[in-house]
Amino acid sequence: MTHELKTGGDRGYLRIATEEAFATQEQLDAIMRLVKEGRADKGTKSLWGFYGTSPSERTTFIRERLLDLGPLRIQAMDEAGIDKAVLALTSPGTQSMHDAEEAKRIARNANDQLKTACETYPDRFHGMIAVAPLDPEWSAEELRRGKEELGFHGVQINSHTHGHYLDEEQFDPILRACADLDLPLYIHPQGPPDGMIGGMVEAGLDGAVYGFGVETSYHAMRLLTTGVFDRYPNLQLMLGHGCEGLPFWLYRLDYMHKAGIRSQRYDRLKPLQHDLFHYMRNNVLATNSGLPFGPSIKLMIEVMGEDRVMYAMDYPYQYVPDEVRWMDDLEISAAQKKKFFQRNAERWFKL
């Protein structure tokens, strides 16, 4: 231990964690029902077939802490020196559901439950809106309610919805509502859809270790390469886990995207108003959730700009208070560190 972890800004900044998960019992019961009935896709079956049933110390801790929006979570934040947490409904949200009415009920109830928790701990908890992409029009209305009635300032979509992605025309009401309401769109991973997952489960690589990043970066690239940010130039896309690796790959992504357009090889790829570097520096925000690794964070800052990179812990899936100390000791300027831990979250989530 190099220093004591305290809340209250003793190091010159507050620590705001921006990708922190919670669950409702209603949501978990619905997911586990699909798993038991054999109606869940392979990714959901792999993830929740384990986390929903395993008696291990890790999974028991995660289930207990996902459902807690009270003293246990506050205690964990205090012990890690986390002043505020931005909370979102855990993966896969409502997106493994087959019945739109059930998905909408789960999302709305989760939003109401989160609002109650935020009112109970107004200085500690802030919320992201849960929606049901099975019904995009309803989701757009729930985004409006989430902002105007509940006071939330972001939305989390748990990547694909039964293998369908937000760049598809049917989901445009969600994108339009995010742009119109100035709500950052956080795309969080879930297991790859059956059409992508291949042998990942058998290899033990379908989850957070690899498959999550592959699938979510693919989702982001679909948005970045199909004109979404030309239609909605103020739309802000948030990605966790080191921006799902995109900053590292950006030069090659941009080079090959331009080559693909010139070749006219793909009907879907049309010229854009800007290159991918522009969209990454003007329309994409990133957190380091689950990646307390100095070289990756400094790369994100260099590629995307110091106003676009934020701290996240990924509680309760990755709760290691020592990681906070490592981030406190990150070799960046004091001004950049305050932006990383505090100011950028305050700006983008309007805290």
Side-chain angles (χ1 to χ4, degrees):
M1 185 175 79
T2 58
H3 58 271
E4 185 179 358
L5 295 174
K6 300 178 181 179
T7 59
D10 66 309
R11 297 181 68 87
Y13 46 81
L14 301 179
R15 300 186 191 91
I16 303 174
T18 54
E19 189 202 288
E20 316 310 303
F22 82 101
T24 67
Q25 192 64 58
E26 180 184 30
Q27 176 205 19
L28 297 187
D29 288 346
I31 292 170
M32 292 309 301
R33 187 187 72 246
L34 293 177
V35 170
K36 291 174 183 176
E37 292 174 351
R39 299 174 63 213
D41 64 17
K42 294 176 183 178
T44 301
K45 179 181 177 182
S46 175
L47 183 68
W48 281 105
F50 175 70
Y51 279 109
T53 62
S54 171
S56 73
E57 181 180 355
R58 170 174 163 78
T59 54
T60 301
F61 174 90
I62 287 171
R63 286 196 302 270
E64 178 185 53
R65 300 308 176 97
L66 281 172
L67 292 168
D68 176 75
L69 287 171
L72 286 177
R73 190 176 293 259
I74 295 294
Q75 180 184 351
M77 291 170 63
D78 288 344
E79 291 175 354
I82 303 300
D83 292 275
K84 300 173 185 290
V86 181
L87 304 171
L89 190 65
T90 197
S91 181
T94 68
Q95 290 167 247
S96 59
M97 300 296 103
H98 296 283
D99 180 81
E101 293 304 315
E102 180 180 36
K104 290 186 287 187
R105 185 182 69 250
I106 291 170
R108 187 179 181 92
N109 289 344
N111 290 332
D112 290 341
Q113 184 173 329
L114 182 55
K115 174 60 174 176
T116 298
C118 291
E119 289 176 338
T120 304
Y121 300 98
D123 297 327
R124 308 302 297 274
F125 292 165
H126 302 274
M128 279 193 273
I129 306 162
V131 295
L134 284 170
D135 189 333
E137 294 287 355
W138 179 89
S139 294
E141 287 303 312
E142 186 66 2
L143 289 176
R144 186 171 300 279
R145 186 180 82 94
K147 178 178 180 177
E148 295 179 354
E149 295 183 22
L150 305 183
F152 298 160
H153 292 283
V155 55
Q156 180 167 295
I157 304 286
N158 291 284
S159 202
H160 70 91
T161 302
H162 298 296
H164 292 280
Y165 291 88
L166 290 175
D167 59 295
E168 298 175 31
E169 185 176 358
Q170 68 264 30
F171 298 116
D172 192 66
I174 295 175
L175 299 181
R176 185 170 62 250
C178 288
D180 290 347
L181 295 167
D182 192 22
L183 292 171
L185 169 61
Y186 203 125
I187 295 188
H188 184 278
Q190 65 159 304
D194 287 353
M196 178 187 292
I197 203 166
M200 288 187 194
V201 175
E202 290 75 15
L205 296 174
D206 58 300
V209 63
Y210 181 69
F212 281 4
V214 170
E215 194 276 335
T216 307
S217 61
Y218 168 68
H219 193 165
M221 284 300 295
R222 289 180 64 120
L223 295 169
L224 286 163
T225 59
T226 53
V228 165
F229 300 104
D230 292 343
R231 295 203 314 273
Y232 303 115
N234 69 316
L235 180 62
Q236 298 296 318
L237 169 67
M238 287 187 175
L239 298 170
H241 318 104
C243 205
E244 306 297 353
L246 294 182
F248 181 88
W249 286 97
L250 184 56
Y251 178 88
R252 181 170 175 82
L253 294 170
D254 182 67
Y255 182 95
M256 289 301 176
H257 174 244
K258 290 173 180 173
I261 291 174
R262 288 195 303 270
S263 72
Q264 300 182 8
R265 178 180 173 186
Y266 303 101
D267 290 340
R268 199 159 186 265
L269 292 186
K270 306 298 181 185
L272 302 177
Q273 294 177 13
H274 306 283
D275 61 15
L276 297 187
F277 284 88
H278 173 92
Y279 299 116
M280 285 289 287
R281 293 184 69 91
N282 290 274
N283 298 99
V284 181
L285 303 158
T287 80
N288 77 309
S289 53
L291 192 64
F293 185 52
S296 295
I297 295 167
K298 288 188 279 188
L299 176 65
M300 285 193 289
I301 291 172
E302 182 176 357
V303 171
M304 304 175 68
E306 63 185 33
D307 297 323
R308 295 192 158 267
V309 181
M310 292 170 281
Y311 172 72
M313 176 173 273
D314 211 355
Y315 178 91
Y317 294 101
Q318 192 162 327
Y319 179 65
V320 182
D322 267 345
E323 294 178 356
V324 181
R325 294 188 178 92
W326 305 341
M327 297 298 91
D328 283 337
D329 294 335
L330 190 64
E331 294 180 350
I332 57 178
S333 72
Q336 287 177 327
K337 196 171 294 182
K338 187 164 187 172
K339 286 184 177 182
F340 172 68
F341 269 116
Q342 177 183 346
R343 293 299 190 198
N344 290 343
E346 289 173 338
R347 174 187 177 185
W348 295 109
F349 286 108
K350 298 178 177 58
L351 305 186

